Amino acid sequence: MKPGRYGVHGGQYIPETLMNAVIELETAYNHFKDDPQFNCELTALFNEYAGRPSLLYYAERLTEKLGGAKIYLKREDLNHTGSHKINNVLGQALLAKKMGKTRLIAETGAGQHGVATATAAALLGFECVVFMGEEDARRQALNVYRMKLLGSKVAIVKTGTATLKDAVSEAMREWTNRISDTHYCLGSVMGPHPFPMIVRDFQAVISREIKAQILEKEGRLPDYVLACVGGGSNAIGAFYHFIEHPEVQLIGCEAGGRDVNSYETAATINTGRLGIFHGMKSYFCQDQFGQIAPVYSISAGLDYPGIGPEHAYLHDIGRAKYVPITDDEAVDAFEYLSRVEGIIPAIESAHAVAQAMKMAPTLDRDKLMVINISGRGDKDCAAMARYRGEQIDE
C-alpha cells in the first residue's frame, strides 16, 4: 500500500499552496518518529505531564448489572485535560517545536482538542488560535473559557452549519495564509497525508497500553474493543495494535443522531458515500447532488460528516464494524455509567458505552470487552440536563 493510502482512501487532495507545508511536515515526522531524543521527550511528556499510562479499570458493577461479558474501561478521561486528545497534541506540538514553528492553530468540536492544543501551547511557549463553530461554542461554553484561560485565542466560525466541519475548513484556510511559522495541529485521523498517519501513531499509545494491561490482568487479549467514532482518533488509537489480531473484534460506534433514516445523523459509514473533502478521499455524508450534507449529533465531537481514511479501509476489508447509536441511547448510557460506576463519561464516549450495554448481556461471561472512555463528561452535564428538560444555570 502506498504511503498515505488505505485501499482507495486517503491521499493528498489539497491546493498547491499547501503542498510544500505537508511535504515539510512529512519529512520532519519521518525523521523524528524514530529519533531516540524525540521519543524520550515525548514519553516524558506522556508520563510526567499527561499522566500516562491511563488506567485499565475492571467495571465490576457494570459487568454484574449487564450480566454477560467482563467489561474493562480504558480511562482516557483521567488524562490531563480530560480526554485522549492530549496524546496527539503533545506529539504534534513537540514535532512543531523541533521544526522551528512558533504558532499552533487547531480546529475543535466538543472543545477537548482545542483545550489540549491550548494546554500544549501554554506548556511549550506557542502562540495559539483555535477555530470553533458558533453552534459548538454555544454547546461547549466551558471549554471556550478554558481555552481562553490557557492563553489561546478562540476564533468563532459562523459559516455553514457553524460546527466542526466549518472549523476544519477555516483552520485549513488560515494555514494556507501563514505556513512559515504556523503548524496546523489537526485533531483527528483525517485530512491530507501525513495527518491520518501522524495522529494514529500518537494515539496508538492507547491500544499499546490496553494490550499490555489486559495481558497482565487476564493473560490474554480481549474479545471486543469498542470506541466512539467521529473523525476517528480515539477509535484508531484503541484499535491499532489489535488490527493484526483477527480474534479481537473492533467496533466503532457512530453518532446516529435522531435516526440514521433521517437527515439528522452523523453516521458516516452507515449512511455516507465515497467522496473527497478536507484533503482526503473517504466516506462522507452527502446530499443527492454529491455535496457534503449537514449532519447532526447531540455530541459536538462526533458531528463531522466524514470519517478518517483508515477507518474507511478497515470497514471495506471487514476488519472493523461500525454501528450507529442514537442520541437517546447515548444519553441513557451517559446516565447509566454515571450511576453504576460513578464515572461520568463524555457524551462521545457514551456512544461506545451504549453499544456495550446492547452487546454485553448477549455474551458469555468468559468474554472480555474493553470500552475506550475517550473523555470525561463534565463538559456535557449542562447539555444533558437540558436534554432531560431540567433548568440549569451554567
Side-chain angles (χ1 to χ4, degrees), residues 160-235:
T161 57
T163 56
L164 181 57
K165 165 182 74 73
D166 310 290
V168 174
S169 297
E170 287 300 317
M172 284 191 164
R173 188 174 293 115
E174 172 65 15
W175 195 30
T176 303
N177 293 333
R178 192 167 162 182
I179 289 169
S180 60
D181 67 345
T182 298
H183 172 68
Y184 178 18
C185 188
L186 211 159
S188 196
V189 284
M190 60 192 196
H193 176 71
F195 282 111
M197 174 182 69
I198 290 174
V199 178
R200 177 203 67 200
D201 288 352
F202 289 140
Q203 291 294 2
V205 65
I206 301 172
S207 53
R208 185 163 64 245
E209 288 179 5
I210 293 173
K211 196 172 186 181
Q213 291 167 325
I214 199 76
L215 285 171
E216 181 180 351
K217 291 175 180 290
E218 296 286 346
R220 67 181 183 89
L221 298 181
D223 298 289
Y224 302 90
V225 176
L226 282 66
C228 64
V229 176
S233 62
N234 97 88

Side-chain angles (χ1 to χ4, degrees), residues 271-294:
T271 66
R273 306 196 307 274
L274 190 65
I276 294 172
F277 187 53
H278 283 157
M280 63 179 177
K281 181 182 283 188
S282 187
Y283 293 116
F284 297 95
C285 297
Q286 301 172 51
D287 64 19
Q288 59 182 328
F289 304 108
Q291 298 298 307
I292 299 300

